[in-house]
Amino acid sequence: MLFSIYGLISASFFMSMDAVDVAFTEAAVGAGVSPLLMLATLASVGRYQKKPTDPEIPKVALLLVIITGILLIIGTLDMPAFGAADAPAHQHVAPRYIKESPEEIGIPNMVTSVLASYRAYDTLGEVVVIFTAGIGVLSLLNFRRRRRNIHLIDDIIAIDEHKILRIVSKILIPPILIFGLYVQFHGDFGPGGGFQAGVIFAAAIILYVLFFGVKYAHQVVNQTFVRVFSAIGVLLYGSVGVVSLLNGKNFLDYHVLAENPTTAQHIGILVIELGVGITVACVMILIFFSFIENIEKVIQELRK
Amino acid sequence: MILDLFNYWVVIALMMIGFFIVIARGNLVKKIIGLNIFQTSVFIFYISAGKVNGGTAPIVVEGAKLYSNPLPHVLILTAIVVGIATTALALSLVIRIKANYGSVEESVILKQDKL
């Protein structure tokens, strides 16, 4: 709970520091997905911890932490003041992005144009990392695949019926999904993009699982579909790069996609953001389902 | 003004809290929470470095002259999503450790490894 509140607070001060895109992501991830995964882990490993065996360790650790902290604070004395416009960070590539990206790329949101066009190669790497993490979670948690349709968690949910929560979530989920799509396709003009849309979309599905149980969620979100699409997102992104390679340009050079350079950038950004969105949403849903299934496994073993 | 540096101090305080949890607690889930706090402190560091006084969010609007630096936003935006994916991977490792060792306490696991 506290962790979730911490996430929401971080989101709000990212907002106050003008980082609207980051605030979107942090609100969905920090306040929604990440605490849920923590809780799911605690549900399967147990919530009690042992008393520390050696009482000296925290004291030594505290000393070490204080020394490091003081050294770091001394280090900051030379740093530029908060919000200073002449800080070194704003002198190198940022002015170019700010001045030229609106003409060069033709979209108002600079964050999107840097993310999806100037640094598209980086972003491809990050999408691949997310995809790999998804595969890792799947291979770690679904090590013994058992096809059974017993949904123990659903039994627990059905014991105490949360009628009010269910009705509220029924009203809330469709607008969240539509908002996710809006963030996805409006990312060029306003704050948004594939990463934000992906986590918002996944948050809506996760909300559905929490209130209606795994059985119905499996009917809504087909597992094989999610698995296939998490790969298709990466494939879509990569194939844009391959298309430009085959046309004799550099990898991820969008200019081959259309005659007009800004139209080409538009198409390129739209397609790769779609790829990012699909992968992020599918991997998040996949990870959440793996954690839920693991809790079921643990409950089963406890009942034996 | 020395108070102009307060953003760095907030970052350092958070970072040290995370660091303390990582080294002082034996419970693996707590260690991951500590790492997460450490991670957010780095996010805050980047975003606060990108802030320009009087600037607005880096989306072109009529009448705005000064924008905040978009580059840190891009880096952190992706880092958050990558961060949750890697955290999920770490948590699933913890679950597997629990399944094999029967505990998530560092001391117990080390003892079992020595035998």
Side-chain angles (χ1 to χ4, degrees):
Chain A
M1 265 317 280
L2 211 57
F3 205 64
S4 165
I5 295 168
Y6 177 68
L8 197 61
I9 292 174
S10 336
S12 50
F13 59 62
F14 286 147
M15 187 76 205
S16 69
M17 288 193 284
D18 298 340
V20 273
D21 289 275
V22 183
F24 266 24
T25 327
E26 178 67 22
V29 168
V33 183
S34 127
L36 273 177
L37 290 184
M38 292 282 176
L39 288 178
T41 315
L42 286 180
S44 35
V45 301
R47 50 188 277 227
Y48 299 104
Q49 67 161 340
K50 242 178 51 172
K51 280 259 171 279
T53 39
D54 188 357
E56 289 298 308
I57 292 178
K59 285 179 199 159
V60 178
L62 192 65
L63 190 74
L64 190 69
V65 161
I66 289 174
I67 292 173
T68 323
I70 290 172
L71 286 176
L72 281 174
I73 286 181
I74 293 171
T76 61
L77 293 180
D78 289 338
M79 299 284 270
F82 176 59
D86 54 352
H90 308 314
Q91 306 306 322
H92 182 44
V93 285
R96 190 187 127 81
Y97 288 152
I98 291 173
K99 280 202 195 74
E100 288 171 31
S101 80
E103 285 89 50
E104 230 170 19
I105 314 288
I107 60 173
N109 187 352
M110 297 168 206
V111 175
T112 305
S113 51
V114 176
L115 178 99
S117 187
Y118 292 113
R119 301 190 146 257
Y121 200 68
D122 285 12
T123 312
L124 176 63
E126 269 142 3
V127 175
V128 172
V129 169
I130 294 167
F131 180 61
T132 318
I135 296 176
V137 171
L138 270 188
S139 53
L140 279 169
L141 290 187
N142 294 16
F143 47 102
R144 259 173 285 143
R145 268 199 87 50
R146 281 173 285 182
R147 270 260 141 255
R148 253 178 291 115
N149 286 321
I150 316 163
H151 297 292
L152 293 165
I153 291 195
D154 291 3
D155 296 346
I156 298 168
I157 294 174
I159 289 168
D160 36 327
E161 288 232 18
H162 302 289
K163 274 225 172 70
I164 297 174
L165 285 179
R166 283 184 186 204
I167 290 169
V168 171
S169 69
K170 253 186 192 166
I171 300 169
L172 275 181
I173 287 172
I176 296 177
L177 288 175
I178 292 175
F179 181 64
L181 289 177
Y182 165 78
V183 167
Q184 169 80 48
F185 293 110
H186 204 255
D188 305 0
F189 305 101
F195 285 96
Q196 298 93 320
V199 283
I200 292 171
F201 212 81
I205 304 282
I206 288 170
L207 201 65
Y208 186 85
V209 182
L210 287 180
F211 290 129
F212 295 92
V214 185
K215 195 177 135 204
Y216 289 116
H218 273 305
Q219 288 169 2
V220 177
V221 197
N222 187 309
Q223 286 295 288
T224 329
F225 177 84
V226 177
R227 281 178 197 204
V228 170
F229 266 77
S230 62
I232 282 184
V234 182
L235 191 68
L236 193 63
Y237 198 139
S239 41
V240 174
V242 175
V243 164
S244 46
L245 266 188
L246 291 180
N247 281 291
K249 287 282 177 71
N250 289 327
F251 190 65
L252 288 170
D253 187 341
Y254 301 144
H255 289 122
V256 299
L257 299 174
E259 288 292 319
N260 186 341
T262 51
T263 320
Q265 292 284 354
H266 267 299
I267 297 172
I269 289 174
L270 205 67
V271 173
I272 68 156
E273 287 274 27
L274 190 64
V276 171
I278 292 173
T279 300
V280 170
C282 290
V283 167
M284 290 297 148
I285 295 168
L286 215 53
I287 288 175
F288 186 72
F289 271 118
S290 312
F291 274 75
I292 289 280
E293 275 163 22
N294 193 269
I295 297 176
E296 295 197 333
K297 232 178 272 172
V298 172
I299 297 173
Q300 261 174 358
E301 271 158 29
L302 282 182
R303 288 203 177 157
K304 266 175 202 165
Chain B
M1 259 289 275
I2 196 89
L3 268 181
D4 286 342
L5 299 172
F6 75 96
N7 64 320
Y8 301 114
W9 300 341
V10 172
V11 168
I12 290 170
L14 278 175
M15 193 180 264
M16 289 305 116
I17 292 170
F19 188 36
F20 177 78
I21 299 174
V22 172
I23 51 180
R25 292 282 170 262
N27 190 305
L28 292 178
V29 179
K30 285 204 170 177
K31 273 183 196 285
I32 291 175
I33 293 179
L35 274 178
N36 250 309
I37 294 176
F38 198 105
Q39 192 185 27
T40 30
S41 81
V42 177
F43 296 162
I44 296 166
F45 175 64
Y46 267 70
I47 297 298
S48 67
K51 166 79 179 154
V52 175
N53 271 345
T56 170
I59 297 169
V60 177
V61 281
E62 291 287 322
K65 287 273 177 320
L66 203 58
Y67 297 104
S68 285
N69 193 340
L71 189 57
H73 297 181
V74 175
L75 300 178
I76 295 313
L77 165 66
T78 51
I80 290 176
V81 183
V82 170
I84 176 73
T86 47
T87 305
L89 190 63
L91 288 174
S92 51
L93 269 176
V94 170
I95 292 176
R96 288 286 278 136
I97 288 174
K98 168 78 176 177
N100 281 7
Y101 287 81
S103 168
V104 288
E105 297 292 332
E106 201 181 26
S107 53
V108 179
I109 294 165
L110 286 178
K111 214 176 278 170
Q112 288 191 20
D113 268 347
K114 270 178 200 151
L115 289 178

